[in-house]
Amino acid sequence: MMRLLAFILLLFVGLFTNAQNTEREKEKDSVIALSEVKLISVVKKKIETEMKMAVSVDEFLASSENISFIKRGAYAWEPLLNNMSSERSTITIDGMHVFGACTDKMDPITSYVESNNLSAIDIKSGQEGNMHGATVAGSIDLKRKSTPFGLSKKWNGAYQTGYEFNNKHFFNLANASYSSDKFVADGSLAYRNAENYSDGNNDEVNHSQFTKFNASLGLAYKTSALSSVKLEAIYDEAKDVGYPALPMDLWLSRALITSATYKQVFENGLFKALDTKIYFNAIEHYMDDTTRPENLVHMDMPGWSTTYGLLSKANIKKNRFSSEIQLNAYNNLSTAEMRMYPQDRSERTMFAYSWPGVTTTFAGLSINNAWEISDKSQLNFGGSLGINYNHSKYVEFNWIFHPGTPQEKTRILPSLHAGYQLDINNFNFSVGGGYGHRAPSVSEGYGYYIYNSFDRYDYIGNPDLDNEISYEGNASAGYKDDKFTIQANVNYFYIENYIIGRILSLGSPMNYQSIGVKGYTSLDYSTLFNFSLNGSYSILDNLHWNGTLTYARGKDENENNLPFIRPLSYQTSLHYQYHKLSFQTSINGDLEQIHYSPEYGEDQTPSYTIWNLSADYTFRLKNHKTVVQVGAENVLNEYYSTYADWGNIPRMGRNIFTSLKFNF
Amino acid sequence: MKKSIFFVTAILIAVTSCTLDKTDYESEISTIVTEHFEYSEVVSFNKNDYQISIEALNGTFYKGFNDFRLKIINTQTNESLNTSEVTFLPVITNYNGNNSSCPHRYNLDYNSTEEYYSGYAVFTSYSTDSENWKLHLSFTDNDQIYTIAEEIIVEEQINMNLNMTTFTGSDGEQYFIALIAPQKPRIAENELVAGIYRYDQPSDEAGTFPDPSQFSYSEVSDYTLLLDPRMPEPSMGNHSSPNNEDLLQDDDGLYHGIVNYTMTGNWTLNFRMQNQYGEILKGTEVSTEFTPGIEGTRSDLHIDILF
């Protein structure tokens, strides 16, 4: 019930900042105390998009305007927040740090959860996202489903199935929960199986199949009226996943994500809630190139990532002042190997580590405060201070390119931010700024001949890289009345020591596809600008319009373009409700990519426009709410690829999808 | 509750035991190469009241560079000799009776702390049925000279990191390059140590056999061994490594440089040998082009290694 309360609170704060977040309310039980105070946040609720009710986590994230994706196939897209790659944001599951085990970023954290074990995704932009650790771009927190204690209806559940015709994607998602006064259990199972998809020319895109199994379990026990313990686990297994944009596929990846949480709520006093979690997760990831006979070299590339962590959060509230304090600590060990096989298989194999046993230990304290100056205005401010320690087990690998570099490196990562919000009648305004450091990622610091198939270079990490330092400013303005809302957001990042790969004159490639060696180096600075405009209008009571426009620009110190910056993009949709039937249609697309970056391996991507349609019908089957949906994505079967499609692989052509959701 | 804890621990154990085992780095770099640290006896001979014993790594003489320790004990007094002049000369006799030697230290040095005579020999071939190595030793005690000639066994060197090569330089001299370290390379910066030796053409007629002036070799001074290591495997496309350093002579008379091996497997050390005047006496510059699918061409002065 604390969660529910938080939900309501979230909803309120969400209202201040984002007009989109007013979709749904949940029933709630008696209020004990408030447990979570969220500051400015863009919380996406209900894991479904306007168009589609059965979506993958990736598709769901894609519906947020500050998220874009690098796509290497049909599965496991790498989320870019504020047009920055994933090492610049902290991606967590209920605040838990999980690190992918693939050197080629085939397994972003979002690929280890499933839409039916999540309740929401909390996206925070820039330093406001420092709660879970040091960041530049912001944070993406995947919130697990959590059933409250003592629901009047003890058993709840849903089953969802569907079929997507383009890639014969068949999925079954089921979740159930049990709630009593003392004990709560949550469980979910999901299985997806897809074959190769076809592009807009009806050509099959080879190696784009996937199979995924996901299960989760959560057990909570109320230890007293105001405290509870909770054990949670997610198990995820993906098999035979194709990556058409890469020279290899995935044979198997497995993740086990576990945690134990103790929660204490206080009725009186300054402290309102204390929430402590210990967690452990282990990921193993095995690539497979045996299905690619065109490869000159057969290569095994296994990777492992193990993380232990602790997070402890306290909520304080006094009058109009509330504050959230969080302690984060984790220890991660990332190891990745490569073993190349000579053409004569009786010869000695060639072995090296692409991550030479790199330990990252982080401990940090974050504080975020909200002060309601008046009913109309609020000041948010906060900061964090973290210590980041790296240790490379086989530092001799790093010495090959960086002779004598120390085996250990400790960094101090400070962060500060402040923002002011003002509401005057129907208008709202906000302005804010932030400052923060981040440490280089394992690949950036310690990577060893990691082949990047986008620009076709082998990448070498540099343990001596300086912290990346971000200075950011953001502002928003909006108007809202009963029928019409409009909201504009801008942010600007000036990032010192921006880490990016630059061609090294030393060494020669190890992977036969590559054309050279790049080392991670720091640019003096780079700048990033993001703009988004959202609008909605209720044309009739049952006819709604929604529109979004985003624009971004990223430049390096020499005014050259940065890679993976989204061109001007738009989305417009109409939603019509007729009794129990509803219809949605949307058009989205990107304009031509003018500011592309040949230096970083990009070519110009032409514009595209996609039209989508869907209809759903809600009815009761023996008193159980049931929804069926039929729709089509890319109705006109346009052949396109986006600016962030790795190797310009074409996106899916026309895809007719059906799904059925059954609640009990 | 207990069940759930049990359940969680059960999957925890199931998953933390990975599907595929991680590679053990130390055993990975030891699959091909065995490193020897221990000196043990290769041969021992008795001459009158003296017992002569020679120790080398792994108790074996191998083709290539061998560092050895020689001890002479007076079996009457049970004292070891430390003031003697000891000479060492290995001679190989081939199937038609021709004698030749190999780079070696003729006058052994006495190491007073460790109490042995130290020397080296770069055996140019291993013993076969038709070609035998014989050691000709001499030492003095109480103003008396003792000489010994005993057959020894030289075995093939399996560790390619201790390979050697023989060639004639453009100055017409016969040269020998023998790898001395690393015995067991790592995927890292490795200090590369090699000995460079030259056969001293005899100026006089041969005296009584074995006449050491006919079998004289010297350590080459002030040369530079230019290094370009590459992987010969065709699919590696002539891959090389950064930050290598050419081999220069150090106080120990040997040549020291840096070789970086970026991964295990076959490597070719492409050399060019340069004399003190900057002239290349042997070796060709190799292509630095990345040529996937094509085996890189080797310098005409090179040593192949494997680890």
Side-chain angles (χ1 to χ4, degrees):
Chain A
M1 74 205 100
M2 297 169 288
R3 290 254 165 180
L4 269 181
L5 209 94
F7 210 91
I8 307 302
L9 244 156
L10 277 176
L11 221 74
F12 273 105
V13 183
L15 269 178
F16 285 109
T17 53
N18 196 304
Q20 276 195 323
N21 292 327
T22 53
E23 286 166 306
R24 201 175 61 153
E25 270 245 36
K26 264 193 183 175
E27 79 264 67
K28 56 173 188 278
D29 59 358
S30 66
V31 172
I32 292 182
L34 82 172
S35 71
E36 287 176 78
V37 184
K38 290 281 170 200
L39 305 180
I40 320 168
S41 58
V42 184
V43 179
K44 302 231 82 184
K45 300 183 283 59
K46 240 175 40 168
I47 306 290
E48 60 184 61
T49 63
E50 281 183 1
M51 284 305 303
K52 226 171 160 182
M53 67 176 185
V55 292
S56 69
V57 176
D58 290 344
E59 285 175 307
F60 176 67
L61 266 173
S63 65
S64 167
E65 68 266 22
N66 37 14
I67 302 271
S68 48
F69 281 99
I70 291 180
K71 297 173 185 171
R72 297 169 173 88
Y75 184 77
W77 301 342
E78 180 192 353
L80 306 180
L81 176 57
N82 282 321
N83 284 288
M84 288 186 245
S85 59
S86 52
E87 49 276 288
R88 293 196 169 82
S89 44
T90 54
I91 306 179
T92 52
I93 299 173
D94 275 343
M96 299 185 285
H97 287 264
V98 183
F99 297 90
C102 176
T103 51
D104 288 346
K105 295 191 183 175
M106 281 170 149
D107 66 336
I109 304 322
T110 43
S111 72
Y112 290 117
V113 288
E114 187 44 89
S115 52
N116 71 341
N117 53 38
L118 295 184
S119 66
I121 296 178
D122 185 0
I123 300 163
K124 289 186 186 178
S125 172
Q127 296 305 324
E128 284 153 13
N130 67 17
M131 213 56 197
H132 303 302
T135 181
V136 165
S139 69
I140 301 174
D141 190 33
L142 306 160
K143 298 221 164 283
R144 284 208 49 189
K145 259 189 191 145
S146 173
T147 306
F149 287 104
L151 286 186
S152 55
K153 191 162 169 269
K154 279 193 160 42
W155 285 96
N156 283 292
Y159 169 71
Q160 200 166 359
T161 183
Y163 188 76
E164 303 197 0
F165 284 80
N166 185 299
N167 56 347
K168 303 192 176 80
H169 177 186
F170 179 55
F171 57 87
N172 281 288
L173 313 171
N175 58 283
S177 67
Y178 171 81
S179 167
S180 72
D181 288 339
K182 279 271 177 201
F183 179 72
V184 162
D186 273 305
S188 74
L189 282 173
Y191 183 76
R192 292 175 185 271
N193 182 53
E195 292 177 18
N196 290 339
Y197 69 79
S198 302
D199 63 23
N201 293 338
N202 298 322
D203 292 328
E204 191 172 313
V205 177
N206 284 329
H207 311 294
S208 60
Q209 79 289 352
F210 61 86
T211 306
K212 175 187 169 91
F213 170 76
N214 183 288
S216 75
L217 184 70
L219 300 166
Y221 182 72
K222 213 166 177 178
T223 42
S224 77
L226 296 174
S227 64
S228 67
V229 286
K230 187 169 198 177
L231 295 173
E232 287 172 293
I234 298 177
Y235 175 76
D236 188 274
E237 182 174 308
K239 256 190 172 165
D240 186 27
V241 177
Y243 291 80
L246 300 180
M248 76 294 258
D249 300 312
L250 171 76
W251 164 56
L252 171 72
S253 78
R254 294 204 301 170
L256 178 70
I257 299 161
T258 59
S259 63
T261 313
Y262 179 74
K263 240 181 199 187
Q264 174 80 50
V265 180
F266 304 94
E267 277 180 289
N268 306 309
L270 196 62
F271 278 92
K272 299 299 174 197
L274 204 61
D275 194 332
T276 302
K277 187 193 298 265
I278 51 170
Y279 60 92
F280 164 78
N281 57 71
I283 292 181
E284 49 179 343
H285 189 277
Y286 307 107
M287 292 186 226
D288 175 22
D289 63 2
T290 54
T291 53
R292 308 293 186 96
E294 69 274 17
N295 281 4
L296 192 59
V297 184
H298 167 53
M299 194 169 168
D300 289 337
M301 295 180 75
W304 299 269
S305 161
T306 312
T307 311
Y308 301 86
L310 164 83
L311 75 90
S312 189
K313 185 165 65 175
N315 290 89
I316 295 172
K317 184 158 171 69
K318 184 143 199 195
N319 303 330
R320 284 174 168 270
F321 190 84
S322 61
S323 139
E324 197 178 20
I325 304 171
Q326 184 165 318
L327 172 76
N328 292 296
Y330 64 81
N331 173 280
N332 168 263
L333 173 64
S334 293
T335 306
E337 300 176 356
M338 51 185 161
R339 184 183 295 278
M340 296 187 188
Y341 292 81
Q343 270 145 349
D344 176 359
R345 290 289 170 87
S346 63
E347 295 260 322
R348 166 93 168 121
T349 57
M350 295 166 276
F351 172 85
Y353 285 106
S354 32
W355 283 338
V358 184
T359 305
T360 307
T361 306
F362 176 87
L365 194 67
S366 310
I367 303 175
N368 277 348
N369 309 291
W371 176 33
E372 288 174 48
I373 302 166
S374 70
D375 290 343
K376 289 182 173 171
S377 66
Q378 179 171 327
L379 185 68
N380 299 314
F381 58 98
S384 78
L385 189 65
I387 296 180
N388 189 86
Y389 165 84
N390 281 119
H391 177 270
S392 171
K393 186 172 179 195
Y394 302 113
V395 69
E396 56 201 66
F397 281 75
N398 308 111
W399 286 340
I400 290 175
F401 280 86
H402 301 280
T405 194
Q407 186 168 23
E408 300 170 312
K409 182 102 182 168
T410 306
R411 299 162 188 274
I412 305 285
L413 307 173
S415 157
L416 284 173
H417 73 89
Y420 177 73
Q421 292 170 41
L422 181 67
D423 289 271
I424 304 170
N425 301 328
N426 290 330
F427 291 92
N428 67 72
F429 303 95
S430 82
V431 60
Y435 161 81
H437 287 225
R438 80 158 176 109
S441 69
V442 171
S443 286
E444 288 168 339
Y446 299 93
Y448 183 74
Y449 285 103
I450 295 175
Y451 176 60
N452 177 328
S453 59
F454 190 79
D455 58 8
R456 300 183 56 214
Y457 276 87
D458 282 348
Y459 275 69
I460 308 287
N462 179 357
D464 302 320
L465 285 174
D466 289 329
N467 292 347
E468 212 173 76
I469 305 169
S470 158
Y471 302 85
E472 71 172 84
N474 58 66
S476 74
Y479 172 84
K480 179 174 165 27
D481 65 23
D482 291 345
K483 279 187 164 272
F484 177 70
T485 67
I486 187 159
Q487 180 81 27
N489 293 294
V490 286
N491 62 40
Y492 179 81
F493 293 87
Y494 175 92
I495 303 171
E496 249 176 60
N497 307 325
Y498 189 84
I499 299 169
I500 203 159
R502 276 279 165 96
I503 297 171
L504 282 182
S505 53
L506 344 150
S508 69
M510 181 179 278
N511 293 287
Y512 81 93
Q513 298 104 321
S514 40
I515 49 172
V517 180
K518 277 190 178 181
Y520 281 106
T521 40
S522 297
L523 302 183
D524 279 352
Y525 69 88
S526 70
T527 59
L528 259 158
F529 170 79
N530 289 288
F531 168 78
S532 73
L533 184 68
N534 294 303
S536 71
Y537 184 60
S538 302
I539 303 161
L540 299 167
D541 277 352
N542 54 359
L543 183 64
H544 304 273
W545 171 83
N546 239 315
T548 306
L549 197 69
T550 69
Y551 177 73
R553 188 87 171 86
K555 288 191 271 191
D556 71 7
E557 56 191 351
N558 301 318
E559 298 282 300
N560 291 323
N561 298 318
L562 291 179
F564 298 116
I565 304 296
R566 190 171 197 168
L568 190 69
S569 73
Y570 55 89
Q571 180 178 17
T572 172
S573 62
L574 273 177
H575 177 262
Y576 178 72
Q577 181 93 35
Y578 180 77
H579 299 295
K580 286 176 172 174
L581 259 177
S582 80
F583 300 94
Q584 295 79 231
T585 182
S586 75
I587 290 171
N588 68 284
D590 291 351
L591 295 195
E592 188 179 42
Q593 188 188 15
I594 304 163
H595 303 296
Y596 65 102
S597 164
E599 206 183 341
Y600 299 109
E602 280 190 315
D603 51 11
Q604 190 165 26
T605 308
S607 66
Y608 68 88
T609 304
I610 302 300
W611 178 37
N612 308 308
L613 264 179
S614 77
D616 55 66
Y617 179 65
T618 310
F619 60 100
R620 292 204 161 263
L621 201 71
K622 282 188 179 171
N623 250 341
H624 299 300
K625 188 187 165 200
T626 309
V627 189
V628 279
Q629 187 176 53
V630 183
E633 292 166 309
N634 193 1
V635 177
L636 300 177
N637 205 22
E638 168 131 339
Y639 179 90
Y640 73 108
S641 77
T642 72
Y643 74 103
D645 283 321
W646 207 252
N648 293 332
I649 46 155
R651 303 297 326 145
M652 201 182 272
R654 182 186 303 121
N655 177 30
I656 295 168
F657 59 89
T658 59
S659 68
L660 168 90
K661 187 172 185 175
F662 179 76
N663 293 290
F664 61 88
Chain B
M1 201 67 174
K2 271 182 185 165
K3 268 189 182 170
S4 67
I5 292 171
F6 175 76
F7 175 69
V8 170
T9 1
I11 359 180
L12 210 120
I13 291 163
V15 166
T16 41
S17 55
C18 306
T19 311
L20 295 182
D21 283 333
K22 290 180 193 171
T23 301
D24 177 50
Y25 178 55
E26 292 303 329
S27 68
E28 178 65 30
I29 57 172
S30 308
T31 40
I32 302 285
V33 179
T34 316
E35 193 169 14
H36 298 300
F37 303 99
E38 296 292 319
Y39 281 81
S40 57
E41 191 173 270
V42 189
V43 282
S44 94
F45 328 107
N46 286 304
K47 179 76 181 178
N48 300 355
D49 291 339
Y50 300 95
Q51 192 196 18
I52 300 103
S53 87
I54 301 179
E55 289 187 343
L57 283 175
N58 198 34
T60 314
F61 282 140
Y62 291 103
K63 183 189 168 186
F65 183 88
N66 295 267
D67 180 56
F68 65 82
R69 299 164 178 182
L70 184 143
K71 286 178 185 164
I72 304 168
I73 295 167
N74 185 329
T75 50
Q76 299 298 309
T77 59
N78 227 1
E79 277 177 9
S80 56
L81 262 62
N82 51 23
T83 54
S84 168
E85 290 276 306
V86 181
T87 67
F88 175 94
L89 174 62
V91 174
I92 187 169
T93 311
N94 69 5
Y95 58 93
N96 45 24
N98 288 334
N99 294 315
S100 58
S101 181
C102 66
H104 60 274
R105 181 178 289 152
Y106 183 67
N107 294 107
L108 300 189
D109 300 333
Y110 187 68
N111 182 329
S112 52
T113 45
E114 302 283 332
E115 299 184 341
Y116 59 73
Y117 293 89
S118 87
Y120 68 84
V122 183
F123 296 113
T124 47
S125 59
Y126 52 89
S127 305
T128 61
D129 292 343
S130 53
E131 293 189 314
N132 291 307
W133 284 97
K134 203 174 235 188
L135 275 190
H136 297 269
L137 296 171
S138 78
F139 63 94
T140 52
D141 192 27
N142 299 325
D143 293 332
Q144 194 174 344
I145 298 174
Y146 300 89
T147 56
I148 305 165
E150 287 278 351
E151 207 163 276
I152 52 161
I153 302 289
V154 175
E155 292 188 11
E156 192 176 354
Q157 177 58 269
I158 304 158
N159 184 351
M160 290 171 71
N161 301 288
L162 300 174
N163 259 352
M164 63 160 297
T165 181
T166 312
F167 58 94
T168 306
S170 59
D171 55 358
E173 304 281 347
Q174 195 188 5
Y175 288 96
F176 304 80
I177 295 179
L179 297 182
I180 297 166
Q183 263 194 73
K184 187 170 94 174
R186 302 176 71 86
I187 307 167
E189 286 182 310
N190 294 277
E191 191 188 5
L192 185 66
V193 183
I196 309 179
Y197 309 94
R198 182 176 49 216
Y199 176 57
D200 300 323
Q201 299 288 347
S203 45
D204 301 322
E205 285 291 302
T208 20
F209 180 81
D211 176 3
S213 71
Q214 303 297 309
F215 304 111
S216 167
Y217 293 80
S218 49
E219 293 171 3
V220 167
S221 293
D222 295 330
Y223 278 27
T224 304
L225 200 54
L226 305 171
L227 170 68
D228 188 354
R230 292 187 178 268
M231 292 188 89
E233 164 68 26
S235 61
M236 293 311 296
N238 203 30
H239 172 72
S240 183
S241 58
N243 296 325
N244 301 300
E245 287 174 22
D246 297 332
L247 287 82
L248 296 172
Q249 195 175 27
D250 220 333
D251 292 340
D252 58 4
L254 301 174
Y255 285 77
H256 295 251
I258 299 275
V259 62
N260 283 280
Y261 295 125
T262 57
M263 63 198 314
T264 63
N266 283 293
W267 284 81
T268 298
L269 301 173
N270 292 297
F271 292 125
R272 279 179 299 146
M273 190 177 76
Q274 193 180 50
N275 67 10
Q276 59 269 49
Y277 312 111
E279 296 160 340
I280 301 289
L281 301 181
K282 182 76 176 178
T284 42
E285 207 165 345
V286 292
S287 163
T288 55
E289 289 298 306
F290 184 59
T291 51
I294 301 164
E295 186 166 345
T297 32
R298 293 170 165 92
S299 162
D300 62 11
L301 175 58
H302 69 263
I303 297 180
D304 285 331
I305 68 107
L306 172 67
F307 79 109

